[in-house]
Amino acid sequence: MPRSALILAVLLLAAAGAAGLWFLSVRRADPQYWPRKPLQNVPTAHAVRPADWAELTLAGGPGGNDWVLLPDQPQQPPFRSSVQASQRGFLAPQDCVECHAEYCETFQHTSHARTSMLPSTDSILGSLQPGHNVLTTARTELQFRMQQQDNAIVQQVILQHPETRTVFTGSFPMDLVFGSGNHGQSYLWWNADRLYQAHVSYLSESDAWVNSPGPYFDGTADFARPVPVRCMECHVTWIAADPKEMNRFDRSTLIPGVTCVRCHGPAHEHVAYHRQHPDETQGRRIVNPAALTIQRQNEICAQCHSAGEDHASLFGYRPGEPLEQWLQLDLSASAESNADPHAANQLARLMQSRCFQQTSGFACTLCHDPHQNQADTLTITAQQCRQCHQQDPCPEVQSEKTGSLARQRCVACHMPARRDAQVAMQTRQGNIEALLRDHQIGIWPETTAIERIRLEATLKQTLQSVEGATP
Ligand code: HEC
Ligand code: HEC
Ligand code: HEC
Ligand code: HEC
Ligand code: HEC
Ligand code: HEC
Ligand code: HEC
């Protein structure tokens, strides 16, 4: 699937600038997470140096010898939060199922529900089968093997001296799976109470293990890249984070997946009320986004689907409140800068459409149903376009030849999917560029030219198969 490249280099911009500068201080400066804040408490890491396995003479590589990076062992006792998720009303879907069984059933198949998962042979999409579980690298002496080991599924680093055959191995558990696999998956591991990204990711497009996107250069092994709370705010429902540290969490508080309460707000009072009033048919003490203004509805999605500077942890945001107190939205994204390093800015682009501006606006949910895995967004969307554009003012739709096809494919021309060179992912097979759907509904002549050729080809094929069927 071509969209795979969206497991975008979270650090891509930093990486591009800092390529070759293999210094932690530079690399750790995740600019989009702390745009204007000074960096504090960046956890320390150490390179495994030649001295660590004396005979190895390691030449070259980005940054000379420091091409195996491991985090230092934290010195403090483990972080324990005094706040539990349930006290804040962050309940898991299991807490809704007794009364909303249908929603819970369809919801578990969505990419939101599956965007972070505990590890298992089901949730980890890359193969653990011998013969398919090894990632070789540009250095013959370095490879990774993904396998079950004791009670964990691990990424094992295997370093072998080309002459002496001395072997260094180290195993890092895949403790948390990030990504539904639409595009790919990355894996996080716990070093005591610190969360780090593992070196190897999985790319759906090629069904293969790859070096993680971003500054994970081929021929290096990096298990020391801290995972900041901002990653968690977009990919998990809740986790207690130590506000003073960059990647320190209370692991026992994790609720994986982006689930109900991230869009409906704290639900403990709702649940308590309805348990006490089983005959009540009106939902109480819970946010129904449909009852909010369009702006407030879309801000729920913008927590994670926009670009901007965050002022405060989004785990504190409540649907229905003005998002700007948490996140300063950047609504100026252009077609070129749409793909802010990791996720696209759908809200900004949508709001720049005349469809949006010349009406009272509409919600993301016009085209996206958050409660089910929509296989066919394109067709659904075409129907939504027709709600406002019944008259067929579009010359392509009126075309006698291809009009009937064009009628189902409004978005192919009016919301172009583009490969974005800014957000390329490096693999050994070459760069894979992200394919993003521009949410500015507009007139795009170049896209139309390509789509027209495609429509004509489809038409020809259909005619040929009809002729073939009735000789
Ligand atoms: C003890 C039963 C019960 C539990 C548990 C429960 N709900 Fe509800 N909920 C209801 C009832 C009854 C309604 C009103 C009827 C309906 O819309 O289904 C409702 C309605 C809602 C609504 C719509 C509110 C509106 O204004 O229309 C939302 C959203 C909602 N629930 C979310 C949740 C979430 C999220 C959870 C889990 C964290 C949850 N509920 C758990 C009983 C429950
Ligand atoms: C601002 C919110 C945000 C942050 C921060 C964020 N992500 Fe994402 N991530 C997304 C969105 C949105 C997508 C889906 C991209 C799309 O379809 O537009 C995504 C996609 C992914 C995917 C691919 C999932 C798939 O569809 O298969 C992976 C893996 C991933 N992110 C890992 C990470 C990691 C690791 C971090 C932190 C180092 C991180 N993300 C930080 C929002 C975020
Ligand atoms: C990604 C955001 C998101 C997630 C996650 C989500 N919802 Fe919703 N939900 C919405 C929106 C938006 C609406 C309003 C839809 C509309 O416009 O009709 C809604 C509406 C509802 C309603 C009211 C439906 C009605 O008839 O008015 C219920 C009940 C509900 N959700 C339950 C759940 C439950 C239970 C879960 C978890 C299993 C869940 N939702 C997960 C965004 C979400
Ligand atoms: C807390 C963060 C968060 C919120 C809130 C959120 N999303 Fe997402 N969304 C994500 C992440 C992360 C992904 C990538 C999931 C993956 O594939 O791993 C995603 C994926 C998606 C996708 C691609 C899904 C697919 O099946 O290909 C759509 C569409 C989407 N979100 C729409 C919405 C809408 C609409 C809302 C608001 C009603 C919303 N999201 C709210 C984080 C969020
Ligand atoms: C809520 C109503 C609404 C929806 C839904 C809607 N539009 Fe529009 N659209 C409008 C209005 C109003 C205009 C402005 C008309 C004008 O300027 O004469 C417009 C303008 C346009 C234009 C001209 C844009 C330009 O920059 O000149 C195109 C193309 C278009 N719409 C296509 C679509 C497509 C395709 C969809 C579905 C993906 C869609 N619209 C969904 C209301 C809507
Ligand atoms: C007029 C219909 C429409 C509206 C409104 C809309 N989207 Fe989309 N969205 C689409 C279509 C069509 C796709 C492409 C689906 C596909 O390729 O299967 C898409 C794809 C996505 C994706 C997957 C990433 C990608 O680039 O393909 C995300 C995430 C997303 N939309 C989020 C949002 C958010 C957030 C909003 C509100 C700010 C929103 N969408 C509003 C039609 C819409
Ligand atoms: C093959 C590409 C293609 C497809 C498919 C397509 N359009 Fe268009 N559409 C265009 C182009 C190009 C224009 C601009 C025509 C011009 O003004 O020269 C346009 C113009 C429009 C306009 C603006 C007309 C005006 O005069 O302002 C609307 C509205 C529109 N299309 C809606 C739709 C809808 C709704 C669909 C699906 C039912 C659709 N289009 C399918 C290419 C396409």
Side-chain angles (χ1 to χ4, degrees):
M1 204 175 153
R3 290 193 305 169
S4 59
L6 280 194
I7 19 172
L8 295 176
V10 172
L11 274 189
L12 203 70
L13 298 182
L21 281 176
W22 193 241
F23 290 117
L24 303 182
S25 53
V26 174
R27 252 173 14 96
R28 296 293 180 257
D30 286 18
Q32 67 270 45
Y33 299 125
W34 295 278
R36 271 158 232 146
K37 288 176 221 159
L39 270 175
Q40 283 172 336
N41 300 320
V42 177
T44 54
H46 63 277
V48 178
R49 286 162 212 285
D52 296 337
W53 56 96
E55 326 75 295
L56 270 186
T57 313
L58 306 173
N65 288 334
D66 300 352
W67 52 265
V68 179
L69 280 175
L70 307 179
D72 291 331
Q73 205 56 31
Q75 297 306 314
Q76 302 133 294
F79 174 63
R80 287 283 164 261
S81 167
S82 54
V83 184
Q84 293 299 310
S86 56
Q87 290 166 284
R88 295 278 169 94
F90 282 78
L91 303 180
Q94 296 91 282
D95 301 309
C96 318
V97 73
E98 61 185 277
C99 305
H100 299 289
E102 250 173 69
Y103 279 94
C104 295
E105 160 52 30
T106 56
F107 179 72
Q108 59 177 315
H109 305 293
T110 63
S111 12
H112 284 140
R114 299 177 54 79
T115 196
S116 54
M117 298 175 277
L118 294 174
S120 74
T121 46
D122 286 334
S123 63
I124 294 176
L125 296 176
S127 176
L128 305 175
Q129 297 303 317
H132 302 279
N133 66 341
V134 171
L135 174 66
T136 56
T137 70
R139 275 177 214 275
T140 46
E141 65 268 38
L142 172 68
Q143 46 175 260
F144 302 88
R145 187 186 294 139
M146 276 50 73
Q147 61 185 8
Q148 261 171 325
Q149 191 175 303
D150 305 321
N151 289 325
I153 303 175
V154 302
Q155 298 189 358
Q156 186 181 50
V157 186
I158 306 166
L159 261 172
Q160 184 166 49
H161 191 284
E163 283 136 35
T164 66
R165 318 300 287 171
T166 315
V167 176
F168 167 89
T169 61
S171 290
F172 303 89
M174 297 193 247
D175 289 319
L176 187 56
V177 179
F178 253 35
S180 67
N182 270 350
H183 313 300
Q185 294 185 325
S186 291
Y187 306 93
L188 314 183
W189 71 282
W190 290 106
N191 181 35
D193 57 1
R194 308 290 177 129
L195 194 57
Y196 292 91
Q197 188 171 339
H199 184 94
V200 182
S201 285
Y202 169 78
L203 186 59
S204 303
E205 181 168 325
S206 49
D207 184 19
W209 297 106
V210 294
N211 295 296
S212 288
Y216 287 88
F217 303 105
D218 193 10
T220 67
D222 182 354
F223 287 85
R225 196 170 149 230
V227 175
V229 67
R230 186 69 179 114
C231 296
M232 307 304 267
E233 288 167 3
C234 290
H235 281 278
V236 312
T237 300
W238 203 77
I239 189 166
D242 178 350
K244 296 189 293 298
E245 302 284 338
M246 183 176 181
N247 64 333
R248 189 165 182 238
F249 303 95
D250 182 342
R251 182 179 177 176
S252 68
T253 62
L254 173 74
I255 303 177
V258 166
T259 64
C260 323
V261 293
R262 289 305 295 274
C263 300
H264 291 295
H268 50 326
E269 293 180 2
H270 170 72
V271 170
Y273 179 89
H274 284 283
R275 284 192 182 140
Q276 276 165 21
H277 303 86
D279 298 330
E280 176 65 85
T281 54
Q282 278 290 313
R284 305 284 173 152
R285 300 181 187 172
I286 188 86
V287 175
N288 185 344
L292 303 172
T293 62
I294 297 292
Q295 187 189 354
R296 293 283 174 266
Q297 273 188 65
N298 286 347
E299 282 176 0
I300 296 176
C301 315
Q303 287 178 77
C304 312
H305 292 289
S306 67
E309 191 186 336
D310 50 326
H311 299 312
S313 170
L314 282 150
F315 289 137
Y317 160 78
R318 298 290 173 264
E321 292 176 2
L323 182 65
E324 66 190 9
Q325 293 168 25
W326 284 267
L327 189 70
Q328 195 56 54
L329 289 177
D330 172 7
L331 296 177
S332 63
S334 67
E336 291 72 36
S337 70
N338 165 42
D340 194 55
H342 180 80
N345 194 339
Q346 283 96 0
L347 179 62
R349 295 300 286 163
L350 189 68
M351 288 177 70
Q352 291 168 24
S353 313
R354 286 181 63 193
C355 309
F356 194 95
Q357 290 172 349
Q358 311 264 318
T359 60
S360 46
F362 41 88
C364 307
T365 44
L366 178 72
C367 307
H368 298 293
D369 180 349
H371 305 110
Q372 30 188 326
N373 194 339
Q374 279 171 301
D376 204 0
T377 319
L378 296 183
T379 319
I380 294 166
T381 299
Q383 289 157 7
Q384 303 306 338
C385 308
R386 308 281 288 178
Q387 282 191 11
C388 299
H389 296 291
Q390 299 101 341
Q391 260 70 32
D392 282 350
C394 175
E396 300 296 327
V397 171
Q398 285 166 341
S399 152
E400 272 179 34
K401 252 169 65 190
T402 49
S404 60
L405 288 173
R407 208 159 291 154
Q408 293 147 32
R409 297 187 48 86
C410 318
V411 292
C413 296
H414 291 298
M415 296 178 71
R418 293 197 206 92
R419 294 260 175 194
D420 193 321
Q422 278 183 73
V423 283
M425 188 166 124
Q426 312 143 10
T427 76
R428 290 188 77 191
Q429 288 73 39
N431 279 3
I432 296 187
E433 292 173 2
L435 191 69
L436 299 168
R437 179 79 51 184
D438 194 331
H439 276 58
Q440 181 179 6
I441 307 171
I443 293 167
W444 306 95
E446 275 175 42
T447 312
T448 296
I450 298 167
E451 181 61 14
R452 220 179 267 141
I453 294 169
R454 206 173 287 155
L455 290 182
E456 276 162 15
T458 312
L459 188 71
K460 213 162 138 193
Q461 256 178 9
T462 321
L463 288 178
Q464 276 168 356
S465 66
V466 169
E467 278 162 16
T470 50

